[in-house]
Amino acid sequence: MPLVTLVTGHYLLSRRRAGFHWLADAYYRMGWRVLFLCGAISYLSIPRRDHRLHYPVWRQAGQLIEVAPNLYSFVWWTPYHAVNLRNRLVNHLVLPLFRRYGRQALGAAEPLVRQSDLVIVESSPALMLTDQLRRLAPAARFVYRVSDDLDVLKSHRAVIEAEARLAGGFDRISVPAPRLARRFAHLPQTTIDPHGLARHLFDQPHANPYPGPFAKNALFIGVSRLDTSFIAIAARRFPQVGFHLIGDLPAPARRANIIAHGEMAFEETIAYLQHADVGLHCLTVGPGVEVFARSLKVVQYRYCGLPVVTPQPLVQGREGFFGYRPGDAESIAKALEAALATPRHRAPDDAGPPSWDHLAQSLAAGLA
């Protein structure tokens, strides 16, 4: 059985489902052995109240856990990791230390890493492990999956430097959208591979989870960049609409039509997606925000046929998207009115996102 090592900042058994979770599922269904290596977690995660600390990452740190036959979880907990400390001087002072982050030992994971046929590294501080992984598995195919723009994430300089140094050595650089591809346009191994979709879950009918009393329901799913001012303005202007927020999000304004569900298992969110009337992609706007125009959340919204309300820079001329100017109550109202008047409809471009199985097979291309 071939072995894939997935190097990411996510924890395998998290309730949150990111792209690397779906890739792990896909390879496992394909009959591969899977090592899910969670990095970018350390003692520095504690004062930041990292959401992964809600899981047994401390207890499992440094242990190779077989959570199912041939499916392994490893938490690479280290004394420190390369994280933005939010102070320019401090970030500069720790730069020499952070540059050595990837040299810290993998311990119990090393024997399994040596057996890797394919190593897929995500755009997170854990990518700094790449040199060590290459030494352990020199014959493996290496893929860099750029789920996020490290600049937009305000990553530490040590991580940005590592990406620039390591990118050219990957056998393939896989990005989900053209905006991210520009960063690697000089490298011929760069390919645009859109986010996949768990079709086997989305194509099943689910019961309507929305009770009354609202005439319609607008949904935001996510863990970051929620524009709470948008929610406050929209909820005040549309008291007949329920505004549902799913995720570990900042406290919204207190109104009867703002419903904060908190974090829930991904499978539970599908019913909310299938029965919503509008998908909210109301993100805070800043430099590089365009990279979120084709996020996994947007793929899911549009596959369910939801009209999407989003800041103007993220509309990009696509059918089913309604733009507004952040902070402008009138443009927010106009965008929401138009979206609420639009029936659920899946545009041709949204009908065929690839399955995660398809992406997994593509990233393994060239392996026997």
Side-chain angles (χ1 to χ4, degrees):
M1 297 172 65
L3 170 69
V4 59
T5 294
L6 300 170
V7 182
T8 176
H10 298 288
Y11 173 61
L12 177 60
L13 301 181
S14 171
R15 287 163 65 87
R16 301 182 184 182
R17 299 288 287 177
F20 268 49
H21 290 103
W22 296 115
L23 285 174
D25 289 350
Y27 283 112
Y28 194 67
R29 286 195 303 272
M30 289 162 54
W32 286 55
R33 292 179 294 157
V34 177
L35 169 58
F36 198 95
L37 195 158
C38 170
I41 187 167
S42 72
Y43 291 106
L44 293 178
S45 304
I46 297 173
R48 298 169 69 88
R49 299 181 180 179
D50 192 306
H51 77 277
R52 293 170 296 178
L53 300 176
H54 296 304
Y55 302 100
V57 291
W58 174 256
R59 189 170 71 248
Q60 296 178 3
Q63 299 181 54
L64 189 64
I65 309 291
E66 190 169 11
V67 299
N70 296 310
L71 174 61
Y72 302 88
S73 172
F74 182 78
V75 178
W76 185 48
W77 183 287
T78 50
Y80 66 91
H81 69 286
V83 61
N84 188 338
L85 297 174
R86 300 170 187 172
N87 180 289
R88 186 173 181 179
L89 176 59
V90 175
N91 277 334
H92 177 72
L93 292 174
V94 298
L95 180 59
L97 176 67
F98 281 5
R99 282 173 173 159
R100 297 195 292 273
Y101 168 55
R103 303 178 194 176
Q104 299 175 85
L106 276 172
E110 286 193 12
L112 199 56
V113 170
R114 292 181 188 277
Q115 301 173 42
S116 300
D117 300 277
L118 173 64
V119 178
I120 305 178
V121 180
E122 190 171 27
S123 48
S124 81
L127 75 88
M128 298 177 75
L129 259 176
T130 302
D131 286 332
Q132 185 175 172
L133 295 168
R134 284 192 182 282
R135 288 193 295 271
L136 293 170
R141 173 179 171 83
F142 275 73
V143 175
Y144 183 33
R145 175 66 177 174
V146 190
S147 301
D148 297 293
D149 187 320
L150 294 176
D151 284 325
V152 174
L153 294 180
K154 299 182 180 178
S155 300
H156 191 275
R157 178 180 160 190
V159 184
I160 304 292
E161 289 178 351
E163 181 187 66
R165 177 177 61 83
L166 294 166
F170 283 95
D171 297 293
R172 179 165 168 180
I173 299 172
S174 172
V175 299
R179 166 66 174 74
L180 275 173
R182 295 177 205 155
R183 189 183 189 99
F184 307 98
H186 62 293
L187 297 173
Q189 69 271 42
T190 302
T191 60
I192 299 174
D193 306 298
H195 288 301
L197 190 79
R199 290 171 174 269
H200 61 292
L201 297 177
F202 278 87
D203 290 343
Q204 297 175 17
H206 293 75
N208 190 341
Y210 297 106
F214 303 112
K216 293 198 173 185
N217 295 282
L219 175 67
F220 179 93
I221 293 179
V223 296
S224 64
R225 300 188 74 101
L226 170 65
D227 182 354
T228 54
S229 68
F230 172 96
I231 298 296
I233 293 169
R236 186 171 61 250
R237 294 290 292 262
F238 296 87
Q240 77 282 14
V241 175
F243 290 84
H244 298 262
L245 312 177
I246 296 178
D248 186 8
L249 295 161
R254 289 183 176 272
R255 293 190 65 88
N257 61 334
I258 300 176
I259 305 95
H261 297 271
E263 194 167 78
M264 64 173 64
F266 175 80
E267 288 76 3
E268 296 176 42
T269 70
I270 295 176
Y272 288 87
L273 284 158
Q274 288 183 340
H275 293 279
D277 298 287
V278 173
L280 300 177
H281 197 41
C282 45
L283 307 183
T284 54
V285 173
V289 71
E290 294 84 1
V291 75
F292 297 105
R294 300 177 189 273
S295 68
L296 181 53
K297 171 172 56 182
V298 171
V299 170
Q300 294 166 355
Y301 284 163
R302 291 302 297 146
Y303 190 74
C304 292
L306 299 181
V308 177
V309 175
T310 192
Q312 285 286 2
L314 304 188
V315 174
Q316 299 182 354
R318 291 174 292 171
E319 181 181 349
F321 288 77
F322 299 88
Y324 64 89
R325 294 184 299 278
D328 185 328
E330 292 307 313
S331 73
I332 287 172
K334 184 176 179 180
L336 262 171
E337 284 173 359
L340 289 165
T342 302
R344 281 194 297 268
H345 168 69
R346 187 186 297 168
D349 287 348
D350 302 306
S355 68
W356 287 107
D357 290 20
H358 175 85
L359 179 58
Q361 291 165 359
S362 175
L363 297 183
L367 294 175

